[in-house]
Amino acid sequence: YSILFNNEEKANGTGEAGSVINREITVTAGMYTVSATTSNAIGTGPAAKIKTWIGKDAPKAVTGLNLQKGNSENELILTWNAPTEGIHNGYLDTARLRYKVVRYPEGKPVADGLTVTTFSETVTTSQLANFWYTITAFSDELEGETATSNKVALGAAFTVPYFESFDTEDDFGLFTVIDANDDGKTWSYDSRNLAAKCTYSPDRPMNDWLITPPVAFGTDKLYRLYFRTKSGSTSFAE
């Protein structure tokens, strides 16, 4: 018989027909196609093959990642579930799981080597902005997949006069979108026209909402709202 790992012979020997052969073979961690063939004086028979990851595996991305505001001002709390499987469905040493946490939009690492599945911090910001995090799982030195959290807005409300020109997708990200008719066609960012765009529904009345970020108003003034709109089609000017 002959045993090959990725077409490289790692063991060979002889045995009785129908007997069970056990061989211990050490290789470095990785994905392997393992094949075994038997032969006799007449020739070599067909190969039996399996493809599998051998050795410790890097972890899949965390699940259940959730970002929410805490009880104190500008506190953010991040929670997640630890991965239970390797990227290649190989052996995952869950006792050695560690996490790297990066805060956005700054791209600032805020925790490394974390062993628990929660993280919290108080963020200092002078202007209303969206914040979110990425979590990368590690098992020892093996870097796993990265997961991205939802976004949460922090900071003081905008003051009047307030103007939004949708120059960037981050600007649009401060708005709240509600797909009220639940058809999957709703407001999104239009980078070509620098605008907020709502896709039409061919079979349902439009009932979708685009809500501004918080704007501070007083009680002793009247306020005037200006906005520019256009239709995507002259045939349907709605």
Side-chain angles (χ1 to χ4, degrees):
Y1 62 85
S2 175
I3 303 172
L4 288 78
F5 284 67
N6 290 345
N7 296 320
E8 180 183 354
E9 188 177 68
K10 293 292 186 180
N12 59 63
T14 60
E16 294 292 331
S19 63
V20 176
I21 304 295
N22 291 301
R23 294 294 302 266
E24 289 188 7
I25 299 170
T26 301
V27 295
T28 58
M31 183 66 73
Y32 290 91
T33 297
V34 184
S35 62
T37 59
T38 58
S39 62
N40 57 19
I42 305 300
T44 301
K49 295 182 179 182
I50 59 171
K51 188 173 183 178
T52 186
W53 179 271
I54 297 176
K56 290 184 178 181
D57 201 356
K60 287 185 176 180
V62 303
T63 59
L65 183 56
N66 180 62
L67 177 64
Q68 60 184 4
K69 292 182 180 180
N71 294 323
S72 59
E73 184 177 4
N74 286 359
E75 181 187 21
L76 292 173
I77 300 176
L78 194 64
T79 57
W80 62 92
N81 300 320
T84 58
E85 297 178 335
I87 294 175
H88 307 94
N89 294 318
Y91 170 70
L92 178 63
D93 189 352
T94 56
R96 306 291 294 177
L97 286 173
R98 302 291 185 272
Y99 306 98
K100 180 179 180 180
V101 184
V102 179
R103 186 182 70 225
Y104 290 87
E106 311 99 308
K108 178 182 179 181
V110 291
D112 202 356
L114 201 64
T115 59
V116 294
T117 57
T118 184
F119 172 80
S120 63
E121 65 172 343
T122 299
V123 178
T124 301
T125 178
S126 58
Q127 182 177 347
L128 186 69
N130 273 324
F131 292 89
W132 66 98
Y133 293 82
T134 60
I135 306 291
T136 304
F138 290 79
S139 181
D140 282 331
E141 75 285 356
L142 298 175
E143 180 177 347
E145 296 175 333
T146 298
T148 302
S149 77
N150 56 299
K151 295 180 179 180
V152 170
L154 289 181
F158 287 109
T159 57
V160 178
Y162 166 71
F163 175 74
E164 180 54 69
S165 56
F166 295 112
D167 290 335
T168 70
E169 191 167 2
D170 286 341
D171 296 332
F172 175 81
L174 291 173
F175 282 68
T176 299
V177 173
I178 300 176
D179 183 8
N181 64 357
D182 197 28
D183 66 347
K185 299 179 183 296
T186 190
W187 291 96
S188 62
Y189 182 64
D190 183 351
S191 59
R192 179 183 177 186
N193 295 296
L194 300 182
K197 176 182 178 180
C198 190
T199 306
Y200 75 95
S201 174
D203 54 6
R204 301 187 193 184
M206 291 307 295
N207 186 22
D208 292 4
W209 296 77
L210 184 68
I211 302 174
T212 70
V215 181
F217 289 163
T219 59
D220 57 345
K221 295 179 178 66
L222 293 175
Y223 295 89
R224 181 170 291 155
L225 171 65
Y226 295 92
F227 58 94
R228 293 168 52 191
T229 66
K230 73 174 183 178
S231 173
S233 168
T234 56
S235 301
F236 301 95
E238 178 190 10

